[in-house]
Amino acid sequence: MTPMADAVFPRIELIRQRMLDLHLDGLLLFDMKNIRYLTGFTGSEGICFFRDGVGVLLVDGRYITQAQEQVRGFDVRLCRDKLSGLSEAFSDSVGMTVGFEASVLTVDMHLRLRKQLKGTTLKPLGDEVQQFRILKDGAELALISHAVDVSHRALLDTLFLVRVGMTEKEISRELEYRMKVLGAEDLSFPTIVASGPRAALPHAEPGFRKIERGDTVIIDYGAVVEGYHSDETCTFVVGHLNSDVGNAYAIVKEAHDRAIDAVKAGISCREIDHVARNCIETNGLGAYFTHGTGHGVGLDVHEAPRLAPTSETVLEKGMVVTIEPGVYLPGHWGIRIEDMVLVEQDGCRVLTKTSKEIELLN
Ligand code: ZN
Ligand code: ZN
């Protein structure tokens, strides 16, 4: 059995406990990442449910063999379609309270379920289910580290090729190709390569703009290994560094470093965001820091917790989050510096490997 399959069993206990805490008689899971986390099933469609202390994975004919091979600790059942499978499984559920992921179930499916499961209370769940993947175990950390390593090596290989006159699209294609050659099964998201004034768009798509001397170039990228993501942003300067960009880079880097220094178990996400934001604001660039400071990373590239001014979540040992302050001067340049860190009891461990000292490319 793989380490991931071994990891599944304690996760089932986690769900049973959560159901007790929430006074649920049943729980429906539609989010494929949650299902993968709990069962080990990697197919693109299925439903997982718990009732009477038993976990069941319902899949259609396309996935039954795969599910039987991959899943341990769950009853794997074949169903014609989701609705009929659930109707059958919950035909005797009158009076039961059954939770579901409010942010995942479609309105259409909710209406149909209500019709089919008359007399059953369907209870929408938010953070209660969104957060059960929030702490990473050893098997997950190993895969995240692998994804980080693949993406880092691909970046180093790509930087050798970057020259004035190359387009953003050419750089992103080279980087994506190398991540896949080095073992990424997928990209964490379409790679961002944004140069010159386009770097001021925090989520720019790579375009046909050619790299010029004096540009800042933001590269935000990541690899997926066995479902687990990496996420890193580097900002490079091409040819020569002007003093405005140099000063702004130093401010963003200081915000990034201070936030990482502040990360430890017991501190709230809001406080970490404040450390980064305060540093940028006191240096006069607060108006140009227009997004949160970070987010959790795991089976989703963006998952709980959020590191933002309103996030009350308290960091715990075993969370993996990004620290990614940025400033964007519209029409001129943008700078973002992003690392992934593992929260530890008295501090954190930086997982990403690329140096964040300012680097000049040819
Ligand atoms: Zn990123
Ligand atoms: Zn990110």
Side-chain angles (χ1 to χ4, degrees):
M1 210 181 287
T2 66
M4 284 312 287
D6 284 336
V8 159
F9 294 103
R11 296 174 189 169
I12 298 174
E13 279 314 309
L14 190 76
I15 289 293
R16 287 194 182 118
Q17 190 55 51
R18 192 62 59 92
M19 287 175 66
L20 280 177
D21 297 344
L22 296 168
H23 307 292
L24 296 175
D25 304 304
L27 175 64
L28 304 179
L29 296 172
F30 293 83
D31 180 319
M32 292 313 299
K33 301 292 174 65
N34 286 342
I35 292 174
R36 179 174 185 159
Y37 178 78
L38 289 169
T39 68
F41 175 59
T42 61
S44 64
E45 240 186 301
I47 301 178
C48 179
F49 68 83
F50 289 81
R51 60 167 294 186
D52 306 322
V54 177
V56 177
L57 177 67
L58 285 176
V59 291
D60 64 39
R62 295 170 299 167
Y63 289 116
I64 187 72
T65 306
Q66 180 183 342
Q68 284 164 343
E69 284 172 7
Q70 291 181 322
V71 175
R72 300 285 179 275
F74 281 72
D75 182 5
V76 176
R77 292 186 201 163
L78 177 68
C79 67
R80 190 162 36 87
D81 61 72
K82 291 176 187 174
L83 194 62
S84 62
L86 285 177
S87 302
E88 204 174 299
F90 285 88
S91 59
D92 59 344
S93 64
V94 172
M96 285 173 60
T97 300
V98 177
F100 67 91
E101 301 145 309
S103 63
V104 180
L105 192 67
T106 62
V107 174
D108 179 56
M109 189 63 173
H110 185 244
L111 291 173
R112 288 174 194 229
L113 274 177
R114 267 179 43 186
K115 209 167 155 190
Q116 288 288 329
L117 308 184
K118 279 206 175 72
T120 305
T121 304
L122 290 173
K123 183 177 178 180
L125 304 173
D127 285 352
E128 306 94 326
V129 283
Q130 292 309 318
Q131 303 217 340
F132 67 70
R133 298 186 341 229
I134 206 164
L135 300 182
K136 273 58 184 181
D137 60 30
E140 295 180 285
L141 289 173
L143 294 174
I144 289 171
S145 297
H146 191 170
V148 163
D149 188 56
V150 163
S151 52
H152 171 68
R153 287 191 290 141
L155 181 72
L156 295 187
D157 289 353
T158 304
L159 291 179
F160 274 120
L161 305 169
V162 175
R163 296 283 180 275
V164 168
M166 219 171 156
T167 67
E168 296 166 350
K169 273 188 189 292
E170 285 168 337
I171 296 170
S172 68
R173 272 202 296 266
E174 292 288 349
L175 180 53
E176 292 178 350
Y177 168 72
R178 281 168 172 70
M179 283 194 275
K180 292 203 168 170
V181 166
L182 288 167
E185 71 204 18
D186 204 351
L187 310 168
S188 292
F189 46 85
T191 302
I192 295 169
V193 177
S195 64
R198 299 192 73 258
L201 306 169
H203 272 191
E205 279 178 34
F208 291 102
R209 185 181 183 279
K210 291 182 174 175
I211 305 295
E212 297 174 12
R213 280 177 65 79
D215 279 352
T216 62
V217 180
I218 286 183
I219 300 183
D220 191 349
Y221 74 115
V224 182
V225 171
E226 288 189 44
Y228 283 83
H229 296 70
S230 69
D231 185 12
E232 175 176 32
T233 308
C234 299
T235 302
F236 301 100
V237 177
V238 180
H240 67 86
L241 177 66
N242 79 45
S243 59
D244 282 357
V245 170
N247 290 338
Y249 192 96
I251 292 164
V252 177
K253 174 76 165 49
E254 190 181 339
H256 161 272
D257 292 354
R258 283 194 192 184
I260 287 179
D261 285 346
V263 170
K264 62 178 179 180
I267 193 165
S268 74
C269 293
R270 185 172 51 79
E271 288 173 84
I272 299 298
D273 181 86
H274 177 73
V275 169
R277 203 166 298 282
N278 188 47
C279 178
I280 290 174
E281 281 173 0
T282 54
N283 283 286
L285 294 177
Y288 305 110
F289 180 19
T290 50
H291 52 73
T293 294
H295 53 85
V297 185
L299 282 170
D300 279 309
V301 70
H302 294 124
E303 60 180 41
R306 279 183 332 114
L307 281 72
T310 54
S311 175
E312 298 295 340
T313 306
V314 173
L315 291 178
E316 290 178 55
K317 184 175 175 229
M319 290 181 180
V320 172
V321 298
T322 67
I323 299 294
E324 51 178 305
V327 294
Y328 312 89
L329 190 62
H332 296 278
W333 45 258
I335 294 161
R336 179 165 66 256
I337 303 174
E338 176 179 27
D339 277 321
M340 287 169 69
V341 303
L342 167 65
V343 180
E344 297 183 321
Q345 198 56 44
D346 299 311
C348 70
R349 179 152 57 89
V350 178
L351 299 176
T352 29
K353 297 177 170 179
T354 319
S355 163
K356 296 302 187 296
E357 295 304 322
I358 195 158
E359 189 174 344
L360 284 179
L361 300 178
N362 288 318

